[in-house]
Amino acid sequence: MSQRFMILDGSSLLFRAFYALPLLTSPTGEYTNAVVGFSNMLQKMIAEYKPDCMVVAFDKSRHTFRTEMFADYKGNRDKAPEEFSAQVPLLREFLEGWGIPFLEMDNYEADDIIGTLSKRAEEAGGYEVLIVTGDRDALQLVSKDVNVLYTRKGISDIVRYDEAAFKEKYGFEPIRLIDLKGLMGDSSDNIPGVPGVGEKTATKLLLQFGFLEDVYAHIDEVSGKKLKEKLTENQAQAELSKKLATIERNAPVEFTPEEYAITPDHERFFAFCDKYGMRSARQGFEKLYPAQGTLLLELGTEETEQKHKAARIAGRNEAEVFADKLRKASVPAFCGVYEGKVPHLKLRALGLSTGDENAVVESGSEAWDILYPLLEDASLHWVTIDLKSFYHVGGSREAHVEDVQLAAYLADPSIGTADVEQLRSIWLPSAPAISADEDETEKAAEGAGIVSKLWPVIFEKLKGYDMEKLYNDMEKPLVAVLAEMEENGIYVNRDRLSAQAEAVGKKLLDLEQEIYTLAKHPFNINSPKQLGEVLFDELGLPAQKKTKTGYSTNAEVLNSLRYVHPIVEKILEYRLWMKLKSTYLDSIGELIDSETKRVHTTFNQMVTATGRLSSSDPNLQNIPVRKEEGRIIREFFEPGEGYDYLLSADYSQIELRILAHLSQDKNFVNAFTHDEDIHARTASEVFGVPMEDVTSELRRRAKAVNFGIVYGISDYGLSQDLGISRKDAAGYIKSYFEKCPGVKSFIDGTVSEAHEKGYVTTLFGRRRDLPQIHSKNFTQRSLAERMAMNTPIQGTAADIIKLAMAAAYRAIKDAGLKSRILLQVHDELVIETTEEELSKVQEILRGAMEKIVSLSVPLPIDIHYGKNWAEAK
DNA sequence: ATTATCACG
DNA sequence: ACGTACGTGATAATC
């Protein structure tokens, strides 16, 4: 019987945990998130693998034998953030209490300690070694007796690598990982490798020849002249890279297995947890090491597993029994298993849960006919995840169904669209994770169980934040509106679209030839790297900006070089058409539904940090409009069969009007109340000229300042935008604030409130946490401060149009019109309508959009309509 | 998986 | 002195 010896890479796991969890703090203000995450992972490891002995290895200092060999080793690493470093000593304290030995050594990395200990254990025999790490390099240690548990993402997604699993993934045995690194390098450790050789080429070479040395021994057999050259030129560098990637397995560290037992010190550990407010760590520890004399009322493991195993219900009788339980459940929950795409989405199965008991029911079974109707039963109050999909498959809008995902997003928008497992790990970290190796329907059942438990916790939080109304009256009603918009889709004239795609394709071929001639040879124009080499190395144009990987070739740079060389203009033109063809013409064509002839975008309600919607597959919120060449794309969006016009209704200056309302600045409120040109008025104030003397240039500058204010102004940003000096920009801002003191005090007030509370809110109570506002790092803190200025404005605008959408939707429906909302583009709604309904629909939109809230300034909309989206602007 | 670029509000 | 405009998504290239 072999001993199971677990070795943890403390440094890498702590780092993973740090980035996986939000910055939690103890009651006394110390950061604890990394330790909390480490603790969760440790508990899981011990519970699952029950190791006989354990050691945690740490990196000690940056200076190691590797930096002796190569000074730049890991030279590209930023210093770890203060919030992280402060937790390293905390983890030691934690391990001391838990009774787990740890090791660190001068001149060696944690990897080398792990490599050495695992080798000694192999030599001694009788050990099964499990290495837990978030560092891929350790995979080279995998052998018959040594496996690696690698944290793929965050800390909960762990994969076990044994010899077979490694071979499956890489195609060769583990030790050759160092040869791979020798060839391809490792950007995260700043290991150079052979430039131009990536994973693909490196793997090919190793499979063909064996080890790195074999590649060089057979260098003549390498195919490709370029590749051979690169390999020969960089042989020394490849060999050094291999050495750097090789874990030292004979480090001067003693192997003393008798000292590696876990010896929990309850008192010490509890004191630690209490001091740092780590309740779940304490609970988990207690579960693993029950104090003597405490009576255990826990369920046996077998029984626990039984509990999570979902019953598959097919027959009528079982269904009746489970239906009864659901009716009595305090939080009945379901998770749908969907297949297909909107507007053809189908419900294949349901995971159901009473909170205590989970079940699966498949569509088409006898049980389905008994259980599905419960979802429409108004006496049940259901919870699900992804309510929009439920609506897509015909779920009743009248049914009482909550969406945990939506509630969780509102409580913390930074998590975005979190799946059940993510929500569990955030909100119920001590509950068992969803089993990984079940089929989709079983996961749905288990998911339903979790959803049932999540809802009370998350909704309670929402109530604590005073966000119930936001959820009930704004976001939840919007779900049905978005579902319908997605199902509606928008008609795209496929013939005109593909004709244009073809024409643009020809144009691109011509441009390509002209560019090759001017460059004197063909190259990949789409590659910024190759383009940079052609422009700046070969043609000798003056390089001005650099990116971290080479020369910058963006539009700003190219524009400034327009008249230096004729190739530049051609490249700009090539870029313009290439963008239009690949992003719009080709890909939208592919997304036209063959049955409906329309494109059905997805409106994501749980993505942005500010409360805006986003659109994807395809993104219909970024269809070109500013440039003539791009605007053509809009011509292909037309009213579909049975409709005559596309109509667009957009808010005029909504963000600046919100700024006026929130700040109560006299100038702004006045200007908007009298419907003045706000940018001209700003110019007049800031530059001290009468309104009639405001030139278009002055207006342009004032407009830039107004935008700057909305984004969270900085003199640097404004100077970049206007192409003026930072000093001048600072001067503009100064006189702006003198003339608009209301705006100034609003911004100052918002930022200082963010510092005090750690979050900001919109007019309707939407919340955004800004943990970085306390950062000691200037850049991060400044970013958070700009977010603090921008979020209440952008977020309030998002709130308003969301309310307006639901109101317009309702009003159109109540009026019995066939007109319908197709798209939302942040401050604009696109509607499909008919000749007869044209005036009625305009009236409804004005009522819904302009009257939905009453601010200190009016909120007028502009309406345009036409035979396509380009005309409706 | 990340980076550079560019489309929108 | 630090070193940035706010919010998104898609594509192609490169790692």
Side-chain angles (χ1 to χ4, degrees), chain A residues 312-316 319 337 339 346-350 352 360-373 441:
Chain A
R312 198 165 282 277
I313 299 184
R316 198 162 279 161
V337 179
E339 60 189 6
K346 293 282 177 300
L347 184 56
R348 198 183 85 206
L350 277 170
L352 297 165
V360 179
V361 54
E362 312 246 5
S363 149
S365 65
E366 283 193 330
W368 184 267
D369 301 332
I370 293 161
L371 289 167
Y372 185 84
T441 58

Side-chain angles (χ1 to χ4, degrees), chain A residues 75-138:
Chain A
N76 56 347
R77 293 261 174 110
D78 290 335
K79 228 180 104 204
E82 181 56 31
E83 293 86 346
F84 171 78
S85 326
Q87 295 185 56
V88 177
L90 225 65
L91 182 63
R92 290 169 205 271
E93 216 179 316
F94 171 90
L95 292 172
E96 280 163 9
W98 196 299
I100 299 171
F102 52 88
L103 293 169
E104 60 180 16
M105 289 175 66
D106 282 323
N107 289 324
Y108 290 89
E109 295 183 57
D111 265 349
D112 304 311
I113 299 175
I114 295 169
T116 304
L117 293 183
S118 61
K119 184 181 175 202
R120 301 272 181 270
E122 274 178 309
E123 289 162 352
Y127 289 98
E128 178 198 356
V129 181
L130 289 177
I131 296 167
V132 191
T133 180
D135 186 347
R136 264 212 165 72
D137 290 337

Side-chain angles (χ1 to χ4, degrees), chain A residues 173-447:
Chain A
E173 59 282 14
I175 187 60
R176 281 202 270 168
L177 189 65
I178 57 182
D179 302 88
L180 186 79
K181 285 274 174 87
L183 288 167
M184 66 179 279
D186 182 343
S187 54
S188 69
D189 290 344
N190 210 28
I191 296 180
V194 178
V197 173
E199 185 170 358
K200 280 257 160 68
T201 315
T203 305
K204 203 186 80 194
L205 291 167
L206 294 181
L207 287 177
Q208 191 181 348
F209 300 109
F211 297 92
L212 180 71
E213 294 72 20
D214 302 316
V215 174
Y216 280 102
H218 299 88
I219 189 77
D220 293 336
E221 296 161 41
V222 171
S223 58
K225 194 168 142 244
K226 264 266 161 77
L227 177 60
K228 208 181 293 177
E229 258 174 45
K230 279 186 287 194
L231 286 168
T232 317
E233 271 171 38
N234 295 287
Q235 181 166 5
Q237 192 163 292
E239 283 161 359
L240 172 67
S241 298
K242 177 173 170 176
K243 265 194 209 145
L244 288 170
T246 306
I247 292 176
E248 174 59 57
R249 306 200 70 176
N250 288 304
V253 55
E254 276 185 68
F255 179 62
T256 51
E258 63 283 358
E259 290 169 20
Y260 300 157
I262 300 176
T263 52
D265 181 339
H266 285 72
E267 217 167 293
R268 198 163 165 189
F269 191 76
F270 290 163
F272 173 86
C273 292
D274 295 345
K275 181 169 156 203
Y276 292 106
M278 291 172 45
R279 272 188 36 226
S280 73
R282 186 183 161 132
Q283 278 171 12
F285 181 88
E286 267 180 307
K287 233 187 200 165
L288 287 167
Y289 313 107
Q292 293 195 337
T294 310
L295 195 61
L296 254 194
L297 291 172
E298 236 188 317
L299 294 162
T301 6
E302 248 168 73
E303 220 173 319
T304 319
E305 259 160 34
Q306 199 63 43
K307 212 176 109 180
H308 290 290
K309 182 114 181 102
R312 198 165 282 277
I313 299 184
R316 198 162 279 161
N317 289 341
E318 305 161 85
E320 294 288 5
V321 172
F322 199 68
D324 245 10
K325 291 181 181 168
L326 284 167
R327 283 192 201 94
K328 290 184 197 131
S330 67
V331 188
F334 69 87
C335 285
V337 179
Y338 302 97
E339 60 189 6
K341 275 192 166 67
V342 176
H344 314 292
L345 199 70
K346 293 282 177 300
L347 184 56
R348 198 183 85 206
L350 277 170
L352 297 165
S353 177
T354 62
D356 296 318
E357 205 177 326
N358 309 334
V360 179
V361 54
E362 312 246 5
S363 149
S365 65
E366 283 193 330
W368 184 267
D369 301 332
I370 293 161
L371 289 167
Y372 185 84
L374 284 185
L375 299 186
E376 319 247 298
D377 186 333
S379 64
L380 274 87
H381 187 166
W382 289 94
V383 184
T384 191
I385 183 163
D386 190 8
L387 179 59
K388 195 170 67 182
S389 289
F390 177 61
Y391 287 155
H392 276 308
V393 297
S396 163
R397 273 66 167 164
E398 313 305 321
H400 205 0
V401 185
E402 309 296 348
D403 188 338
V404 258
Q405 202 176 28
L406 186 56
Y409 163 75
L410 294 180
D412 178 6
S414 70
I415 64 167
T417 313
D419 62 25
V420 185
E421 175 52 22
Q422 278 170 282
L423 293 179
R424 184 210 56 75
S425 70
I426 296 167
W427 292 91
L428 297 169
S430 48
I434 296 200
S435 330
D437 37 39
E438 293 180 338
D439 79 27
E440 237 184 317
T441 58
E442 281 163 359
K443 271 195 226 176
E446 216 181 315

Side-chain angles (χ1 to χ4, degrees), chain A residues 660-820:
Chain A
H661 175 83
L662 294 176
S663 70
Q664 290 295 306
D665 183 274
K666 285 222 175 61
N667 275 323
F668 268 84
V669 173
N670 249 318
F672 281 126
T673 308
H674 300 112
D675 203 26
E676 288 175 18
D677 175 341
I678 188 67
H679 301 312
R681 173 68 186 273
T682 306
S684 156
E685 295 287 342
V686 173
F687 302 114
V689 296
M691 277 293 272
E692 52 274 23
D693 292 349
V694 172
T695 62
S696 62
E697 177 56 22
L698 287 183
R699 184 180 182 280
R700 187 182 76 87
R701 293 185 194 188
K703 186 175 172 183
V705 183
N706 276 332
F707 271 104
I709 296 288
V710 170
Y711 290 155
I713 197 135
S714 73
D715 50 11
Y716 179 86
L718 183 63
S719 73
Q720 289 294 299
D721 189 47
L722 280 176
I724 58 178
S725 76
R726 211 164 120 170
K727 238 188 178 159
D728 289 347
Y732 285 11
I733 296 169
K734 186 156 175 282
S735 58
Y736 184 102
F737 282 146
E738 277 163 13
K739 293 292 159 39
C740 307
V743 172
K744 166 90 171 130
S745 63
F746 165 70
I747 286 180
D748 291 348
T750 307
V751 171
S752 64
E753 195 182 319
H755 274 280
E756 259 164 57
K757 297 184 173 163
Y759 64 90
V760 289
T761 55
T762 68
L763 191 56
F764 296 87
R766 185 186 305 279
R767 174 186 173 112
R768 180 180 189 183
D769 289 320
L770 296 168
Q772 308 287 21
I773 200 113
H774 301 123
S775 172
K776 289 203 292 191
N777 177 311
F778 173 88
T779 309
Q780 295 199 347
R781 189 179 62 248
S782 303
L783 179 62
E785 286 171 350
R786 291 196 296 273
M787 289 172 178
M789 303 178 213
N790 172 263
T791 300
I793 300 172
Q794 189 183 118
T796 301
D799 292 344
I800 291 174
I801 195 161
K802 281 178 168 177
L803 290 172
M805 286 167 77
Y809 170 84
R810 198 64 265 160
I812 292 171
K813 189 145 271 191
D814 288 348
L817 305 186
K818 67 185 289 198
S819 301
R820 48 195 191 162

Side-chain angles (χ1 to χ4, degrees), chain A residues 487-708:
Chain A
E487 280 163 42
N488 291 341
I490 184 164
Y491 176 81
V492 174
N493 188 323
R494 169 165 241 157
D495 296 337
R496 291 202 54 205
L497 186 81
S498 38
Q500 179 74 1
E502 201 179 320
V504 173
K506 286 206 179 108
K507 199 186 283 268
L508 280 168
L509 282 176
D510 289 346
L511 281 165
E512 196 179 289
Q513 288 312 317
E514 292 181 63
I515 290 168
Y516 292 164
T517 308
L518 289 164
K520 302 201 175 63
H521 67 89
F523 66 101
N524 186 348
I525 310 168
N526 294 319
S527 157
K529 187 160 166 271
Q530 295 183 34
L531 179 61
E533 283 160 12
V534 167
L535 292 180
F536 305 114
D537 293 337
E538 298 173 17
L539 299 176
L541 300 181
Q544 24 198 333
K545 263 205 313 195
K546 284 209 139 192
T547 65
K548 62 177 88 169
T549 53
Y551 302 112
S552 169
T553 66
N554 67 20
E556 193 196 339
V557 171
L558 295 186
N559 264 316
S560 74
L561 296 170
R562 260 201 132 99
Y563 306 105
V564 182
H565 193 288
I567 197 173
V568 178
E569 182 114 41
K570 298 290 171 196
I571 288 165
L572 281 164
E573 210 183 326
Y574 177 90
R575 281 247 178 99
L576 171 72
W577 293 112
M578 191 64 192
K579 177 79 181 175
L580 292 180
K581 184 163 193 298
S582 64
T583 308
Y584 299 104
L585 296 168
D586 291 345
S587 59
I588 289 179
E590 285 162 25
L591 288 165
I592 299 175
D593 187 282
S594 53
E595 205 173 299
T596 65
K597 312 285 182 216
R598 301 168 74 104
V599 287
H600 302 265
T601 184
T602 302
F603 284 106
N604 310 299
Q605 196 178 358
M606 296 168 268
V607 166
T608 70
T610 56
R612 274 188 174 180
L613 299 178
S614 85
S615 154
S616 55
D617 306 294
N619 181 354
L620 294 183
Q621 288 180 323
N622 72 344
I623 303 300
V625 67
R626 293 175 194 166
K627 285 199 277 243
E628 190 50 48
E629 297 91 333
R631 197 151 53 222
I632 297 172
I633 309 277
R634 294 199 172 210
E635 292 176 10
F636 310 137
F637 291 82
E638 298 173 359
E641 209 173 302
Y643 292 88
D644 305 313
Y645 297 106
L646 286 182
L647 179 150
S648 142
D650 68 297
Y651 279 112
S652 157
Q653 308 284 10
I654 187 167
E655 293 194 341
L656 287 174
R657 287 170 191 270
I658 287 166
L659 174 64
H661 175 83
L662 294 176
S663 70
Q664 290 295 306
D665 183 274
K666 285 222 175 61
N667 275 323
F668 268 84
V669 173
N670 249 318
F672 281 126
T673 308
H674 300 112
D675 203 26
E676 288 175 18
D677 175 341
I678 188 67
H679 301 312
R681 173 68 186 273
T682 306
S684 156
E685 295 287 342
V686 173
F687 302 114
V689 296
M691 277 293 272
E692 52 274 23
D693 292 349
V694 172
T695 62
S696 62
E697 177 56 22
L698 287 183
R699 184 180 182 280
R700 187 182 76 87
R701 293 185 194 188
K703 186 175 172 183
V705 183
N706 276 332
F707 271 104

